[in-house]
Amino acid sequence: MGLPVLRWLLQGGLLCLASVLTAGTAAAAPDDTRPGHAEPGHVLVLGRISDNPKSHYAQLQPLLDYVVPRMRDVGITEGRILMAPDAQQMASYLRRGRVDWVTETSGTAVNLGLRSGAQPLLLTERSGVRDYQTVFFVRRDSPITSLADLKGHTLALQNVASTSAYLVPVMTLLQNGLTPEILLSARDAAAPDTVGYVFARSEANIATFVHKGMVDAGAVSSVDWADPHRIPAAFRRDFRAIHRTEPYPRAVEVVRAGLDPKVRDRLQQVLLDAASDPQAQDALEKFFGTSGFHRVDAQMQHRLDELKQGLTRVRMEVE
């Protein structure tokens, strides 16, 4: 065998060996970075569904840094954040024990409960608001005066992830004997026996669609209805509300099924106490403008149960 051939074989062998070693290193990554493997018992993992992880990390980390030192008596010494692009992936993390605690809107919270068995821990008050309604509205000069009048007309909603501007409006239509039907665009006409809906992607766009006559009605949360940054005053003067739903929790903290009861109870108490602790104020403000946490009372549990039933019906009859 000539020297050039031997040199070629040796180089090829070394390259193959390097590839094997590299693959072995990746496969041997610590369990805490691999989906499907439970976190060590001393780690509390906070999850969030996010399309902007960098921004949400900055909102989540300060509260996690506040919570973890106050849970050492139940064995928690470290906190981590794990984000998912959608509810399906987050539900998988919850089922596998990869995430312990998730902060979400009430609609997404019940969705995670259905998919993973996650349970509500506390209601989250944001900017002083613990619950909100969905407001259906039309132009002031519209002949539509009630939900029943929406039959054969069009409605602007936000997106399928919204509680107040998708889930609640659609389940409310169903509860009132109406048939929601998704349209390809705002230019499409609704069938005479349906309420055609389109996605506008934001509250401001919903207002614009209604104001310009692109659709006949819109639905937003009562918080957004009162916010001039979401519904400009110049538009609001030309609008009229035709229906308000019952109030639903604005946001919910949920924990995975199977979380150690001592950890769950301690986390609940730390969060309940945070609103009265000056050291927590900055972290709470960054945590999506949180002003406090509250226990789930009978009325709000009833509303969460309604959302769960409504979500199931929307999936079966609409989506």
Side-chain angles (χ1 to χ4, degrees), residues 3-240:
L3 186 60
V5 174
L6 180 61
R7 183 180 299 112
W8 179 84
L9 287 172
L10 286 172
Q11 288 174 342
L14 288 173
L15 286 172
C16 290
L17 179 61
S19 297
V20 171
L21 289 174
T22 300
T25 302
D31 282 352
D32 58 20
T33 63
R34 293 160 59 193
H37 292 259
E39 293 287 347
H42 66 277
V43 179
L44 181 70
V45 183
L46 172 58
R48 175 75 182 183
I49 297 170
S50 174
D51 57 2
N52 189 348
K54 183 177 180 180
S55 173
H56 282 153
Y57 182 88
Q59 293 173 291
L60 298 171
Q61 190 65 51
L63 186 61
L64 191 60
D65 289 342
Y66 170 84
V67 166
V68 167
R70 291 162 176 79
M71 297 188 63
R72 292 184 183 277
D73 57 337
V74 293
I76 298 299
T77 59
E78 185 180 348
R80 295 180 192 165
I81 293 169
L82 182 59
M83 299 193 196
D86 52 42
Q88 183 176 1
Q89 183 65 60
M90 184 57 72
S92 175
Y93 287 156
L94 287 163
R95 285 194 304 271
R96 298 178 183 184
R98 287 282 288 127
V99 167
D100 302 308
W101 159 34
V102 179
T103 180
E104 266 301 341
T105 61
S106 53
T108 301
V110 299
N111 186 7
L112 292 174
L114 286 170
R115 290 177 178 270
S116 73
Q119 297 295 318
L121 181 73
L122 293 168
L123 303 181
T124 311
E125 178 185 294
R126 292 180 178 169
S127 301
V129 179
R130 195 183 311 186
D131 53 56
Y132 57 10
Q133 304 162 293
T134 288
V135 179
F136 289 81
F137 66 98
V138 296
R139 282 185 59 92
R140 192 168 294 279
D141 56 7
S142 171
I144 297 172
T145 61
S146 67
L147 287 181
D149 293 338
L150 288 175
K151 183 181 290 188
H153 292 280
T154 53
L155 174 70
L157 302 176
Q158 186 177 359
N159 57 54
V160 293
S162 174
T163 301
S164 58
Y166 173 68
L167 174 58
V168 172
V170 172
M171 60 183 267
T172 299
L173 293 176
L174 291 171
Q175 290 166 351
N176 283 270
L178 298 167
T179 303
E181 180 182 44
I182 191 167
L183 303 176
L184 292 177
S185 75
R187 292 187 295 272
D188 289 347
D193 59 343
T194 71
V195 178
Y197 66 90
V198 295
F199 291 124
R201 296 186 296 180
S202 72
E203 297 85 0
N205 285 346
I206 292 173
T208 300
F209 279 26
V210 177
H211 195 260
K212 291 188 174 183
M214 298 166 63
V215 296
D216 301 306
V220 296
S221 77
S222 51
V223 172
D224 296 321
W225 178 248
D227 185 348
H229 296 291
R230 303 295 177 90
I231 310 291
F235 286 7
R236 177 70 184 278
R237 290 193 296 268
D238 297 328
F239 292 155
R240 171 170 46 85

